[in-house]
Amino acid sequence: MSGHRQPGRWSLRRRLGLWLTVAVAALWLAAATVAGLVLQHEIGEVFDSALQEVAQRVLPLAYSELLSREAGDAPQHMAPIGPHREYITYVVRDGAGRVLLQSSDAELMAIPAGLAPGFRTSDRLRTYTEAAVRGTIVVTTAEDLGHRAAAVRRAVAALIWPLVALVPIALAGVWLSVRLSLKPVLAFRRAIETRGHGNLTPVATAGLPEEIAPVAAAVNALLERLRGALEAERGFTANSAHELRTPIAAALAQTQRLVAELPEGPERERARAIAGALRRLSRLSEKLLQLAKAEGGGLVAEVPAPLAPVLRHVIADIDRQTGRGTDIALSIPANGGPLSDLDPDAFAILARNLIENALKHGEPETRVEVQLDDGLFEVANHGPVVPADLLAGLLRPFQRGPTGAEGSGLGLAIAAAICRGAGLTLDLTSPIPGTADGFRATVRFPAAPRS
């Protein structure tokens, strides 16, 4: 499994964060719109009430003024007490439409005459007219409609502007809430990502949401079935190879004794051929046991250990069995080589198969180069080039390259199984870069830190 997000695919956290933030912003805008409409209605009622109240308060004063003034007096202007902006203006007229009294800004408003009592709305004014003394005194109050619109705009802006600060705050809050809510789901994802490499243990399901719990149960059931299938397959391979070792060894011993007892002749040659076949069968059973171990897990040790002593022991054992230790050029750094949590027995099987494979298929009179360094184990030989389309197939059991040497086709498959189970990388290269021939197997692994 891979923890990398595929291009163009959004994570659940990102989707929830984005859509919840968009939803909050949309709801806020909708609420501000509704509030604006309500405010517009309420502000209209307040200002209408103010127009009516001003008219009703001015009317008695205008009547008193009319009684006290002499005929022919000019219209009077009510001087403002101090500098101020007059939002509501008024004008008092007689029955003939002559202006008797008006506020300081009434002329600027150009309040029309002859309006019927009550509220009226024109293109630019909202007016209220009240008449008294049988229509001989008419008071008209007026307000610029732009003032009302400006008041509504300011009120709505006061509701919308906090949204500018709310969006990042909501985004941060939503992201934090989603992160905390999805924490068990993320832990479940990481647990699944760590499965493999021989680890098929059940995934912890504690704290998972109700929607994810069935998925976790299905994953654990699948892991259990997979583990059972793999254990059955490995058990069959290991048991078969183990049960074959004893009868093969007994048959080989009896055949070797028969070879020693028979005189030179066709019978002795046939006995030698049988002994050779039994030796090949013994090696095959040994390889099958190694393959079962490689695929059976337990490839990672609890405590990191040095790999160099294991490698030297493997080369010495190969030299004892084949006498070809001088054909191996070993390179280990001066600091003694790396430490690794790879199980020493697994590394011994890995190294032995790669080195034996290089010795078997390399050109005669050439040396096999073995290098062990931090994060790197490499085995190379000089031999025929393996076509690129065959390299990947060499990692499968019983697959062989263009060679006439004897072999079971399991060496590289065993090495590949160990690398898969331990989380290592095995790269095959042919020809060796910088040369015209050769074959190189490179194992890359994280070296454990030295204490």
Side-chain angles (χ1 to χ4, degrees), residues 310-320 325 328 330 355 370:
V310 179
L311 181 57
R312 291 192 180 96
H313 176 75
V314 168
I315 294 176
D317 190 52
I318 292 175
D319 184 47
R320 283 194 301 271
I328 300 173
L330 178 61
I355 295 173
V370 179

Side-chain angles (χ1 to χ4, degrees), residues 373-397:
D373 206 339
D374 290 339
L376 177 73
F377 174 61
E378 191 172 86
V379 179
N381 68 348
H382 293 279
V385 175
V386 180
D389 57 340
L390 296 181
L391 280 177
L394 296 180
L395 301 179
R396 294 193 293 268

Side-chain angles (χ1 to χ4, degrees), residues 9-294:
R9 180 174 295 180
W10 284 18
S11 67
L12 184 59
R13 283 182 297 176
R14 190 175 179 183
R15 295 181 184 182
L16 288 176
L18 176 63
W19 286 112
L20 287 176
T21 303
V22 170
V24 169
L27 288 175
W28 187 282
L29 287 174
T33 302
V34 173
L37 295 175
V38 174
L39 279 173
Q40 185 178 18
H41 176 73
E42 295 297 328
I43 288 175
E45 288 189 348
V46 169
F47 282 118
D48 283 350
S49 176
L51 287 173
Q52 188 175 16
E53 184 176 357
V54 169
Q56 291 174 354
R57 288 181 179 275
V58 168
L59 189 60
L61 297 176
Y63 182 68
S64 299
E65 178 65 21
L66 181 62
L67 292 177
S68 62
R69 68 183 298 180
E70 298 178 2
D73 286 350
Q76 292 189 6
H77 290 77
M78 297 297 295
I81 297 176
H84 70 286
R85 185 174 180 182
E86 194 172 77
Y87 294 109
I88 297 179
T89 61
Y90 61 88
V91 61
V92 181
R93 295 184 175 93
D94 60 12
R98 293 191 301 271
V99 176
L100 304 176
L101 182 68
Q102 62 184 7
S103 62
S104 58
D105 292 342
E107 293 180 354
L108 299 176
M109 298 286 287
I111 302 174
L115 296 175
F119 290 100
R120 294 290 182 273
T121 302
S122 65
D123 294 340
R124 61 183 185 84
L125 295 178
R126 175 72 169 170
T127 61
Y128 175 76
T129 302
E130 182 120 0
V133 194
R134 297 181 181 180
T136 58
I137 300 177
V138 179
V139 178
T140 301
T141 56
E143 178 196 3
D144 191 340
L145 291 177
H147 172 240
R148 293 193 179 192
V152 173
R153 285 195 301 269
R154 287 193 296 269
V156 173
L159 293 174
I160 294 179
W161 272 112
L163 184 62
V164 177
L166 175 69
V167 168
I169 295 175
L171 183 61
V174 167
W175 181 85
L176 181 61
S177 301
V178 170
R179 183 179 180 85
L180 293 177
S181 300
L182 293 181
K183 191 174 181 180
V185 179
L186 297 178
F188 174 66
R189 185 196 72 178
R190 288 192 294 270
I192 293 179
E193 289 176 346
T194 59
R195 294 308 182 264
H197 299 164
N199 181 10
L200 296 177
T201 56
V203 181
T205 60
L208 285 176
E210 183 179 353
E211 296 79 4
I212 305 297
V215 178
V219 169
N220 285 336
L222 178 61
L223 289 174
E224 182 64 28
R225 290 196 297 270
L226 180 59
R227 184 172 59 218
L230 290 177
E231 287 179 352
E233 181 182 350
R234 293 163 185 163
F236 174 77
T237 303
N239 292 333
S240 299
H242 181 73
E243 292 299 326
L244 285 173
R245 292 177 72 182
T246 301
I248 290 173
L252 180 58
Q254 293 296 328
T255 304
Q256 289 173 340
R257 182 175 179 181
L258 182 61
V259 170
E261 293 176 350
L262 287 173
E264 289 294 340
E267 291 81 3
R268 191 170 186 178
E269 289 303 320
R270 286 197 294 271
R272 287 197 181 100
I274 294 172
L278 289 173
R279 279 192 291 269
R280 289 192 296 273
L281 185 57
S282 177
R283 287 194 295 269
L284 177 59
S285 66
E286 184 66 29
K287 293 294 183 182
L288 289 174
L289 280 174
Q290 292 179 0
L291 182 61
K293 177 176 176 57

Side-chain angles (χ1 to χ4, degrees), residues 400-414:
R400 304 187 65 199
T403 177
E406 291 185 359
S408 59
L410 288 174
L412 290 177
I414 293 171

Side-chain angles (χ1 to χ4, degrees), residues 324 353-363 368 379-381:
R324 298 193 60 183
N353 278 280
L354 291 181
I355 295 173
E356 286 181 344
N357 186 76
L359 288 170
K360 185 181 299 182
H361 301 293
E363 292 288 347
V368 171
V379 179
N381 68 348

